Amino acid sequence: MDAVLTTLKILIIGDSGVGKSSLLLRFTDDKFDPEQAATIGVDFKVKAITIDGNTVKLAIWDTAGQERFRTLTPSYYRGAQGVIFVYDTTQRETFTHLTTWLTEVETYSTKPAIVKMLVGNKIDKENRQVSREEGLKFARKHCMLFIEASAKTRDGVECAFEELVEKVIQTPGLWEAEDGRHGNVNIHSTNTGGYCQC
Amino acid sequence: MSESEDENAVVQEDEVFEITDFTNASDWESFITQIEEIITNWNLTSYVKLQPLQNNEITNGDWEAVTAHLKFTNVPFTMTLHRLKFKPDTEQFVEELNEEDDDKIPHPQYVEDMMCIDNDFPARAHCIARWYGLRCFLILSISSSNGITNQSKCNLLTSSVSIALSNMSCDVPFFVQIQENWRRMYEGKAVSTGMSTQFEMVHLKKCPQQYAYLSGLLHLFKNKIGLTSLLSGETRVSARFTYVLHDWGIDGKWPAKPPDPEAVASHFGTLLYGCLEDPVTELQLAAVWPSMTGDLVIDNDIHSDFKPLSAPRWVVRLCYADDLTCLLSSYLYEFIKATNRTESMSDLLNVLEDHTTDKHLGQALEKITDPSAGGMLPGVKLASGLTKVVTDSQTLFRKSAYTLGRIAAVRGRIPREVLNNIKSYMFFQESTNSRQSSSQQQQASTYTFYHKLKAAPIDSLTHHLAMCAIVVNLCHGGLSALAQVWHVFVSELRTMLDKGECLPGIDSSKPDLNTCLLHQKLQMLNCCIQRKVLREQRSPRSSSEVDFKVNPSFVDISEDLTESNNHNNHMATDESKNETTPLKEVDKYDGNLETSENAAASSNHSERLSSNDSRGKFSVQSDDEDEFFECESDIDLGDTEQKHITSGDQHQEISEQQSLDQVSFTVNSNKTEDGAIISRDDVEHSTNENKDSMVDIDVSYPAEGRLKPCDDLNLLRCNSSLFIPHTQDHAPVTEDQLEEQAEVFSKLGDTKEGSKVRAKMQSASLRSDMEAFKSANPGCVLEDFVRWYSPRDFENGELSQRMKIPQNLWVTTWKSAKPVPAHRQKRIFDDTKEAEKVLHFLTNLKPAEAAQMLIPVCTHEALLVLRLASDAMKESLPSLPLICNQIEARAAQIFKQWHMYGSVANQFQPWTKDIQSKVEDLFRQITFAETMIERARSLQHKFRNLGDTAQVNAFVRQLLEHPEVPLDEAAVGPVGCIIKYYFQNQQNIVVEAESPLSSEQSEDVRLPKEIPPLPKPAGREFIIRASNSYPSPFSRKLPHRMYAVLMQNEFRLASAVSHDSTFF
């Protein structure tokens, strides 16, 4: 087995009922539970994934979306290298609230280079209210990764997490500093050994 | 294919050849082979011709050095190639010149370089480049430090290299380092078509008398190259005389006014910067005469044509102090020294205590003199685990206050008035700081520089403490002074907590996790004090009420309060029997609606306790169960509610005044853990047997704790508006506590069970909100709550699917929630306990640890000072802002990853060696920047009369950026005049110092004699070039060169004599 390169902290946020916990369950256990209870406070799951030959352990923090929990959950934002913003493509309100969530992350995140990903969930449902173009536009405006997904049909879920992790690994200074490891990443292995001249 | 075959064939041939060769090969031969290999690797195997050297290219160009290792027998050697890098635009080789004169073979590159007069006396170069003007050369040196002192070894090496180079057609001059390394003695050779050049060196301590002037040196050189005719225009001479200025006089010395130690010691507002001695130790003035005809210059012991004041070129060079003492750096270095000490407060103070004989008197005195010692009796109830420790610390502090008072005579004690000044500086926020307004603006925005560094805001209490600590550590006696300040600080915090005064310079918000841990702790303490004040404000009471022990949970509110005194006493005794409490208690987590009055109280107890175990880890429950959250409910307070408050306050008072009763009381309240949240209504219900309708649609209690209506919503089951209740705020947490919580959560794992436990642990605030909601909305159902709390979970007139899952935590919590307004609920945030935790944490820190916690704050301040200074100097030091950026970025990186806590909250984790060395490295960079600033400031001061600010800055910039600066118009230019003035001053002082000895004898002789404007040159350098046929008059005319340097204690000649190897 590959040695674990690092442990990354990923955060999932968004309005209540947009399917944050379901996305996470689909990713970690490849399950969909219609009986998924509403999260209280924060919850937590771990999964190891291998990307480009680097095995990375993910500690994914799932948060409650209710307004009232919003003073409680941001404490757990600290140290996160990646954040997934989730909205419900069938509920416009959850999309318009994204700016609030962005502000939350900007205020409470401790890593300025944190990688942001936008996920439009529940594309399996019929009564879509937010188009893919709108999502794309929003993501572009705020320098985020974007994907539409369905936790129910598993569309886009795994891809979303993998993209995010890959981006985190490629972002310099985002994750190395924690344990002082540098340059072990296979992506950067095209390291030409020119001699130093001084 | 054929090619590779060919190669194979060649290799095979070589192998065969080499095998036979190797059997007979001597060490010498294999050494030559190694050299040849290296030459090949470095692509030096052909004669190349480059563009002529440009003016000063040896100084200004980029040099590279490549090293290879080789062995002769078993002795290791190093071969180094020094080479001026090609500039991209001059990289093309010059075509071989097709001159008409066929006889003339062009000189090799190195000869051209040697004879090029545009690079004489380079300001910065390898010594070989300086002596011979070469831009490319090889050096062979022995790796051991002893050097090669044996002449025959030296010859062996020289000839080895010589053979190798001519084998490989390499015309790069090579040098073998001989003698001791420090002497920088080299012997070298270069071989090219039809000629070879011998490089030789003389190195003596004293200059032989006959060669002390140019005339003697010229004679020597001419003899060496066989130039016999006395007068021939073939010799060219360049000369450079160096004069040293080391005394700048009153006008030039820097700092013009050294800082006053007293002022530094009592300056706490900002850190000061600046050096204590002059960073510019000396100025070297070089008078330069470029290429002159050698035979026309007269320089001998009687007369010299080299008159510096009329030299065509003047060049200055500066020498800087190596180890400059600067204030800003001193603050930091001394502080970092303190962080490595291991003494605890008691270590420091016990030693002192041994000397004391009269403790009682001392304690009495201390009570009178030290205001911080008063009121330190623990008037607050402590969490049982903390009690002992804190009590010990109290004793300790009293001792320390005492001993501090006693060490007046002992060195290192801060005088009382200074200590008082420090205290008032820390705790009384005077806006003396000019940066305050800007820093306040900074605070308005969300993420600022101090956030980046994880420090604390300017002028916050934390910042003031850091300033005092760092100043006191430098100026008032190091660690012991630090301990005293720390003591004063923590004692004052205790006093302010006891008195209920908010901390000055700490904002009222929750701990900002982007600041340093100490600042967070102070913010936390401030939160606690605020809550305490709020609570006390809401409970104006007469002292007579204090005596009653009341647990309001059990007070029947409907009872006439006129009888309450007696009744309450009665209840207090009753409650220990614990009869009524569990009867209607609904099991919270199982959702078991068993409400049977017959259920054994004990079984309910055990279930409750077990569920509470898990919850207790997270929620801030404490042993003092009976304190209540006080929210600002100023509306909707019915008459009954007022009564509640009154009784609640009585209880509050009791809980704070507990003394001997505490033990039994605490045991009791443990048993009735949930008793506090059971209200009158439940008790009534339990007796009214209103089982079927359950609490859900109970409308029999009056509404309490309403904040405002929720939009236009009405309750579903009864006809009244839906009200948003007053709720308890979420508990503020510091970074270490949060980390601990996160740790606990992680340890529960990502199983379903883990998830459940986590949710339960966090359900305290949900439960609190539900209870408040129920209280504000009599007759409400879960649907109503969800419509307020999580509107999207109420769709199409019913709860969402996930809310309807049986036994989900929302449903079970709702079912077990009692209607209790927030102000009567158990406090989610126990400020009393949290405040004690903070003080416990601070009290237990060693002074060195306290210093570590302050390092980010001190660094932040230092960087601000540095930034201001660098902005002021950016005309002279344009690179400094960039250096500041780098230092700041580095600091941010270090402090972000430095966790000052362990896995357990409230435990300080001393820094690791890794962090320490990083911080030390950071401080070194700050020192470097400060040194640069001081150099620039010193130079600006010295040349302030040069013209306007821009001119001064421009010149200072030149001085700082270049190793040497040529002066416009030499001696008569503006800079030249200033320098002459300084030299003149120095000369006057020297002459004055000498004069008393000789004044009597030769006064009249000396008087007309002017004091020479410049001292004797400290060094004289000559480069003599000539062209002559050598070795015999019939040989080809070849160029030769000799460099000479004559100093007080060193005499060196470096000659390069070329031989025609074709003809004689």
Side-chain angles (χ1 to χ4, degrees):
Chain A
M1 274 303 286
D2 288 330
V4 173
L5 182 65
T6 186
T7 300
L8 299 180
K9 181 171 175 179
I10 308 291
L11 204 67
I12 309 185
I13 58 175
D15 276 7
S16 72
V18 295
K20 297 181 290 295
S21 304
S22 297
L23 280 171
L24 182 54
L25 187 70
R26 171 59 81 192
F27 175 63
T28 55
D29 299 21
D30 198 19
K31 277 197 293 201
F32 181 73
D33 183 3
E35 304 253 294
Q36 178 82 43
T39 308
I40 291 171
V42 297
D43 202 5
F44 164 88
K45 276 195 179 294
V46 184
K47 178 159 173 142
I49 62 168
T50 303
I51 288 176
D52 295 334
N54 300 303
T55 300
V56 173
K57 198 173 145 194
L58 302 181
I60 309 165
W61 291 78
D62 184 19
T63 61
Q66 281 79 11
E67 185 86 35
R68 180 71 182 134
F69 285 120
R70 225 173 270 182
T71 51
L72 191 68
T73 49
S75 335
Y76 295 93
Y77 289 15
R78 55 194 298 281
Q81 287 103 341
V83 55
I84 299 176
F85 297 80
V86 186
Y87 67 94
D88 181 347
T89 50
T90 67
Q91 299 276 340
R92 172 154 295 277
E93 209 186 15
T94 65
F95 182 72
T96 50
H97 276 173
L98 284 172
T99 43
T100 328
W101 290 108
L102 268 173
T103 321
E104 295 269 302
V105 169
E106 269 153 32
T107 314
Y108 295 105
S109 156
T110 54
K111 295 198 182 284
I114 188 168
V115 175
K116 288 173 270 191
M117 163 166 262
L118 181 62
V119 175
N121 194 22
K122 305 197 188 178
I123 46 169
D124 56 290
K125 283 179 134 183
E126 281 168 5
N127 50 337
R128 182 192 268 266
Q129 291 184 359
V130 184
S131 70
R132 187 183 150 77
E133 284 64 39
E134 283 176 284
L136 260 177
K137 207 172 141 195
F138 185 89
R140 189 179 302 133
K141 185 174 166 193
H142 295 99
C143 308
M144 306 160 101
L145 299 163
F146 174 69
I147 196 167
E148 287 196 333
S150 163
K152 195 171 180 178
T153 64
R154 82 167 59 117
D155 278 331
V157 177
E158 191 159 356
C159 183
F161 282 91
E162 283 174 3
E163 281 285 312
L164 181 71
V165 171
E166 194 168 331
K167 191 82 186 172
V168 169
I169 292 177
Q170 287 170 356
T171 307
L174 190 52
W175 57 276
E176 299 98 326
E178 288 294 315
D179 45 9
R181 279 189 266 180
H182 293 273
N184 292 344
V185 196
N186 288 352
I187 331 163
H188 303 300
S189 62
T190 52
N191 186 15
T192 52
Y195 54 75
C196 167
Q197 305 165 339
C198 44
Chain B
M1 286 301 280
S2 62
E3 256 184 45
S4 65
E5 274 171 19
D6 282 349
E7 268 176 30
N8 277 341
V10 170
V11 170
Q12 276 172 358
E13 257 174 48
D14 275 0
E15 271 172 6
V16 172
F17 173 75
E18 281 195 343
I19 288 165
T20 48
D21 193 35
F22 270 131
T23 53
N24 295 322
S26 62
D27 293 333
W28 187 51
E29 282 167 310
S30 85
F31 184 63
I32 293 172
T33 319
Q34 289 177 62
I35 297 172
E36 288 175 358
E37 212 167 275
I38 293 167
I39 302 288
T40 316
N41 285 344
W42 290 342
N43 290 325
L44 302 173
T45 51
S46 58
Y47 301 146
V48 291
K49 200 79 179 275
L50 304 170
Q51 293 272 16
L53 280 172
Q54 291 167 342
N55 202 1
N56 283 330
E57 195 179 340
I58 285 186
T59 303
N60 300 332
D62 283 339
W63 283 81
E64 63 179 335
V66 197
T67 305
H69 299 280
L70 61 165
K71 276 186 177 174
F72 190 96
T73 62
N74 277 325
V75 186
F77 285 88
T78 325
M79 183 104 145
T80 313
L81 169 69
H82 294 268
R83 177 161 61 180
L84 192 63
K85 281 194 199 166
F86 308 127
K87 286 186 181 167
D89 52 329
T90 57
E91 207 162 337
Q92 313 97 331
F93 302 148
V94 175
E95 298 282 319
E96 194 126 330
L97 298 168
N98 280 331
E99 284 188 28
E100 289 158 23
D101 188 357
D102 282 357
D103 290 348
K104 214 169 189 178
I105 307 164
H107 293 313
Q109 183 65 51
Y110 73 91
V111 174
E112 298 282 345
D113 290 348
M114 271 184 354
M115 304 316 278
C116 162
I117 59 163
D118 293 330
N119 279 277
D120 286 352
F121 313 115
R124 184 173 45 198
H126 189 278
C127 58
I128 296 285
R130 185 174 176 86
W131 297 333
Y132 292 111
L134 299 172
R135 73 170 111 175
C136 181
F137 49 90
L138 291 158
I139 292 178
L140 180 72
S141 55
I142 192 162
S143 299
S144 73
S145 54
N146 296 332
I148 305 157
T149 46
N150 183 324
Q151 187 59 42
S152 77
K153 275 186 195 168
C154 173
N155 289 344
L156 183 70
L157 289 173
T158 317
S159 46
S160 308
V161 185
S162 174
I163 290 169
L165 294 195
S166 54
N167 280 350
M168 306 305 290
S169 329
C170 170
D171 68 352
V172 175
F174 76 89
F175 294 84
V176 177
Q177 182 160 19
I178 53 173
Q179 306 296 351
E180 292 83 2
N181 285 345
W182 63 266
R183 292 184 63 185
R184 297 194 291 177
M185 286 280 283
Y186 297 88
E187 208 170 278
K189 197 169 182 184
V191 188
S192 186
T193 348
M195 65 173 287
S196 68
T197 303
Q198 197 75 38
F199 298 92
E200 286 168 320
M201 212 166 274
V202 173
H203 183 231
L204 300 172
K205 214 171 174 187
K206 286 279 175 207
C207 170
Q209 196 51 49
Q210 65 267 40
Y211 306 125
Y213 297 94
L214 178 63
S215 53
L217 293 170
L218 263 177
H219 185 66
L220 174 89
F221 180 63
K222 283 179 179 175
N223 269 340
K224 192 164 173 59
I225 60 169
L227 195 67
T228 42
S229 61
L230 271 178
L231 274 174
S232 84
E234 301 291 332
T235 53
R236 308 287 300 175
V237 174
S238 305
R240 172 179 159 122
F241 286 20
T242 304
Y243 303 86
V244 174
L245 176 78
H246 47 77
D247 184 351
W248 292 90
I250 298 158
D251 292 325
K253 89 170 186 330
W254 181 263
K257 216 179 179 185
D260 171 17
E262 284 294 316
V264 174
S266 56
H267 185 92
F268 301 117
T270 58
L271 294 182
L272 302 169
Y273 72 101
C275 52
L276 304 180
E277 72 235 39
D278 202 327
V280 185
T281 50
E282 66 179 46
L283 175 143
Q284 295 178 355
L285 168 69
V288 181
W289 293 266
S291 191
M292 303 179 293
T293 307
D295 297 315
L296 301 181
V297 187
I298 301 169
D299 180 46
N300 55 36
D301 50 354
I302 299 159
H303 175 81
S304 174
D305 283 345
F306 294 115
K307 298 225 182 323
L309 290 184
S310 52
R313 286 180 66 206
W314 268 25
V315 177
V316 289
R317 170 194 282 271
L318 294 162
C319 294
Y320 302 105
D322 276 340
D323 214 352
L324 194 64
T325 313
C326 290
L327 260 179
L328 190 62
S329 315
S330 301
Y331 284 122
L332 297 174
Y333 281 130
E334 288 303 317
F335 204 59
I336 217 165
K337 267 189 218 165
T339 59
N340 289 326
R341 303 279 292 267
T342 51
E343 295 94 325
S344 67
M345 283 296 263
S346 58
D347 285 343
L348 284 172
L349 303 165
N350 281 345
V351 174
L352 298 163
E353 197 193 323
D354 290 343
H355 303 296
T356 64
T357 48
D358 196 346
K359 286 186 184 178
H360 296 291
L361 179 62
Q363 278 171 356
L365 279 173
E366 161 245 311
K367 272 183 186 162
I368 299 165
T369 52
D370 192 344
S372 60
M376 272 207 287
L377 269 170
V380 279
K381 191 161 48 117
L382 304 170
S384 57
L386 290 177
T387 314
K388 193 167 176 291
V389 190
V390 178
T391 311
D392 287 346
S393 303
Q394 294 301 322
T395 329
L396 173 66
F397 264 122
R398 204 161 290 117
K399 274 187 207 159
S400 69
Y402 162 65
T403 40
L404 288 177
R406 289 280 299 181
I407 52 177
V410 182
R411 229 176 103 252
R413 183 193 177 265
I414 305 174
R416 179 160 296 279
E417 74 241 52
V418 175
L419 210 51
N420 282 338
N421 283 346
I422 290 170
K423 190 171 147 187
S424 64
Y425 172 74
M426 286 194 293
F427 285 97
F428 298 96
Q429 300 291 307
E430 298 158 30
S431 56
T432 49
N433 210 323
S434 58
R435 291 169 301 171
Q436 185 147 36
S437 56
S438 66
S439 71
Q440 274 170 350
Q441 283 166 6
Q442 272 185 0
Q443 282 173 29
S445 64
T446 48
Y447 196 78
T448 58
F449 184 45
Y450 72 81
H451 282 130
K452 263 192 201 163
L453 295 182
K454 223 160 177 305
I458 293 297
D459 274 335
S460 63
L461 180 58
T462 324
H463 176 254
H464 280 198
L465 168 69
M467 291 302 99
C468 291
I470 199 170
V471 171
V472 146
N473 181 60
L474 179 68
C475 307
H476 292 280
L479 195 70
S480 109
L482 206 59
Q484 295 169 64
V485 168
W486 184 245
H487 159 74
V488 166
F489 181 73
V490 181
S491 313
E492 186 63 18
L493 291 184
R494 162 69 66 190
T495 311
M496 297 188 84
L497 173 66
D498 289 350
K499 286 189 189 160
E501 290 171 16
C502 283
L503 305 182
I506 298 287
D507 53 9
S508 55
S509 58
K510 288 181 178 181
D512 182 346
L513 303 182
N514 281 320
T515 61
C516 69
L517 186 59
L518 181 61
H519 189 68
Q520 293 179 35
K521 293 276 178 195
L522 294 179
Q523 283 182 312
M524 175 63 111
L525 184 59
N526 210 30
C527 285
C528 296
I529 295 175
Q530 281 169 359
R531 303 238 178 158
K532 184 184 168 188
V533 170
L534 216 63
R535 205 170 52 238
E536 282 168 1
Q537 278 170 356
R538 321 191 116 266
S539 51
R541 54 188 174 266
S542 62
S543 55
S544 63
E545 285 174 283
V546 169
D547 297 329
F548 304 114
K549 296 180 171 62
V550 182
N551 186 334
S553 313
F554 299 94
V555 175
D556 188 334
I557 198 78
S558 63
E559 256 180 281
D560 190 349
L561 268 178
T562 53
E563 291 175 24
S564 67
N565 284 356
N566 289 331
H567 181 75
N568 285 345
N569 278 333
H570 170 68
M571 287 302 288
T573 50
D574 259 4
E575 75 182 29
S576 61
K577 293 175 196 162
N578 200 11
E579 286 172 345
T580 51
T581 328
L583 291 183
K584 183 64 190 334
E585 179 68 4
V586 179
D587 192 305
K588 286 170 295 195
Y589 301 120
D590 296 343
N592 179 0
L593 297 187
E594 180 196 2
T595 52
S596 160
E597 293 103 312
N598 301 329
S602 59
S603 75
N604 266 342
H605 269 158
S606 59
E607 275 187 63
R608 245 195 343 273
L609 285 174
S610 63
S611 58
N612 279 328
D613 279 346
S614 58
R615 201 182 56 162
K617 274 188 196 165
F618 179 58
S619 65
V620 278
Q621 287 179 351
S622 62
D623 291 334
D624 45 334
E625 280 301 311
D626 311 293
E627 299 192 21
F628 291 87
F629 173 75
E630 304 284 333
C631 68
E632 302 125 65
S633 57
D634 44 7
I635 54 163
D636 215 4
L637 287 180
D639 194 25
T640 48
E641 189 166 350
Q642 294 292 1
K643 288 173 192 166
H644 264 296
I645 287 175
T646 319
S647 53
D649 290 336
Q650 285 171 354
H651 177 74
Q652 185 65 49
E653 187 60 28
I654 290 152
S655 65
E656 289 190 3
Q657 295 293 328
Q658 269 175 1
S659 50
L660 288 173
D661 290 320
Q662 186 176 357
V663 180
S664 63
F665 195 90
T666 311
V667 169
N668 172 27
S669 46
N670 265 337
K671 273 196 229 158
T672 61
E673 181 126 46
D674 284 300
I677 50 172
I678 294 173
S679 76
R680 168 192 61 92
D681 305 295
D682 304 299
V683 179
E684 271 182 5
H685 274 298
S686 67
T687 53
N688 285 348
E689 288 152 18
N690 191 7
K691 277 183 266 177
D692 293 329
S693 55
M694 296 308 305
V695 273
D696 277 9
I697 36 177
D698 174 18
V699 287
S700 60
Y701 53 90
E704 281 185 76
R706 286 174 171 174
L707 177 66
K708 60 176 184 190
C710 183
D711 301 329
D712 294 327
L713 294 179
N714 278 335
L715 293 181
L716 294 168
R717 304 273 179 94
C718 53
N719 191 21
S720 76
S721 305
L722 194 158
F723 280 92
I724 296 174
H726 283 284
T727 49
Q728 291 201 44
D729 292 339
H730 288 130
V733 282
T734 53
E735 189 178 23
D736 51 340
Q737 294 175 318
L738 188 68
E739 198 66 29
E740 195 185 28
Q741 282 168 20
E743 183 89 343
V744 170
F745 286 176
S746 308
K747 279 195 180 137
L748 288 170
D750 66 347
T751 58
K752 219 167 185 177
E753 288 67 38
S755 263
K756 260 186 186 166
V757 178
R758 266 192 295 272
K760 271 181 197 167
M761 285 165 73
Q762 295 174 88
S763 63
S765 76
L766 181 64
R767 166 179 299 274
S768 152
D769 290 345
M770 283 179 167
E771 295 189 333
F773 186 82
K774 278 189 175 178
S775 168
N777 297 289
C780 63
V781 289
L782 178 59
E783 281 83 346
D784 294 315
F785 177 76
V786 167
R787 281 196 294 163
W788 162 54
Y789 211 79
S790 183
R792 249 184 306 283
D793 278 308
F794 186 77
E795 41 200 25
N796 310 325
E798 56 174 343
L799 285 179
S800 66
Q801 203 180 357
R802 63 175 180 173
M803 283 295 174
K804 285 196 287 195
I805 303 168
Q807 311 305 330
N808 89 65
L809 200 51
W810 292 71
V811 173
T812 54
T813 310
W814 176 258
K815 279 175 181 158
S816 64
K818 313 289 175 299
V820 186
H823 67 270
R824 275 198 290 119
Q825 288 173 5
K826 204 185 94 56
R827 284 186 288 170
I828 289 182
F829 176 65
D830 183 347
D831 57 68
T832 317
K833 186 180 163 191
E834 290 303 322
E836 281 313 321
K837 275 188 185 169
V838 171
L839 284 173
H840 176 223
F841 175 84
L842 299 179
T843 309
N844 279 6
L845 285 180
K846 292 175 184 173
E849 294 171 337
Q852 284 180 27
M853 298 202 87
L854 289 171
I855 278 195
V857 188
C858 295
T859 310
H860 174 230
E861 172 68 27
L863 291 180
L864 288 179
V865 170
L866 198 63
R867 175 63 77 175
L868 271 179
S870 94
D871 282 349
M873 301 304 292
K874 65 171 177 258
E875 303 297 324
S876 303
L877 284 167
S879 62
L880 200 58
L882 296 176
I883 293 176
C884 282
N885 291 350
Q886 279 171 13
I887 298 178
E888 285 171 6
R890 183 77 189 124
Q893 205 189 354
I894 294 170
F895 295 145
K896 280 278 177 192
Q897 55 171 294
W898 175 9
H899 298 303
M900 300 186 178
Y901 47 85
S903 55
V904 180
N906 266 320
Q907 258 185 12
F908 179 76
Q909 177 99 3
W911 62 6
T912 57
K913 281 270 169 259
D914 179 49
I915 292 281
Q916 184 184 344
S917 66
K918 281 177 180 168
V919 170
E920 282 168 354
D921 188 53
L922 184 74
F923 286 1
R924 269 190 287 278
Q925 291 180 36
I926 293 176
T927 305
F928 171 76
E930 189 184 17
T931 306
M932 293 298 290
I933 290 171
E934 282 311 298
R935 284 178 186 177
R937 293 214 300 166
S938 173
L939 291 172
Q940 283 182 353
H941 177 75
K942 291 173 172 41
F943 293 99
R944 63 191 179 281
N945 294 329
L946 191 57
D948 59 25
T949 326
Q951 282 169 312
V952 175
N953 284 339
F955 180 64
V956 170
R957 179 178 170 181
Q958 268 192 306
L959 286 176
L960 290 167
E961 283 179 358
H962 303 287
E964 281 186 357
V965 175
L967 304 183
D968 291 343
E969 302 169 65
V972 292
V975 182
C977 288
I978 293 177
I979 289 173
K980 275 191 288 183
Y981 170 77
Y982 283 128
F983 268 111
Q984 189 72 61
N985 279 351
Q986 179 177 264
Q987 287 295 92
N988 291 345
I989 294 165
V990 172
V991 172
E992 272 166 32
E994 285 170 355
S995 58
L997 297 168
S998 54
S999 58
E1000 284 171 27
Q1001 301 169 335
S1002 53
E1003 199 169 310
D1004 41 2
V1005 183
R1006 274 185 65 260
L1007 264 179
K1009 194 181 170 188
E1010 272 187 47
I1011 300 166
L1014 294 177
K1016 279 184 183 161
R1020 287 174 295 148
E1021 293 164 278
F1022 299 99
I1023 296 171
I1024 308 168
R1025 294 183 176 89
S1027 205
N1028 191 34
S1029 310
Y1030 192 77
S1032 73
F1034 318 105
S1035 305
R1036 187 152 63 104
K1037 244 189 179 187
L1038 290 168
H1040 312 278
R1041 166 181 165 129
M1042 185 173 80
Y1043 166 87
V1045 56
L1046 298 85
M1047 288 186 285
Q1048 179 106 44
N1049 293 318
E1050 191 178 346
F1051 172 78
R1052 185 189 298 271
L1053 299 177
S1055 71
V1057 176
S1058 303
H1059 297 239
D1060 179 357
S1061 51
T1062 321
F1063 202 74
F1064 288 98

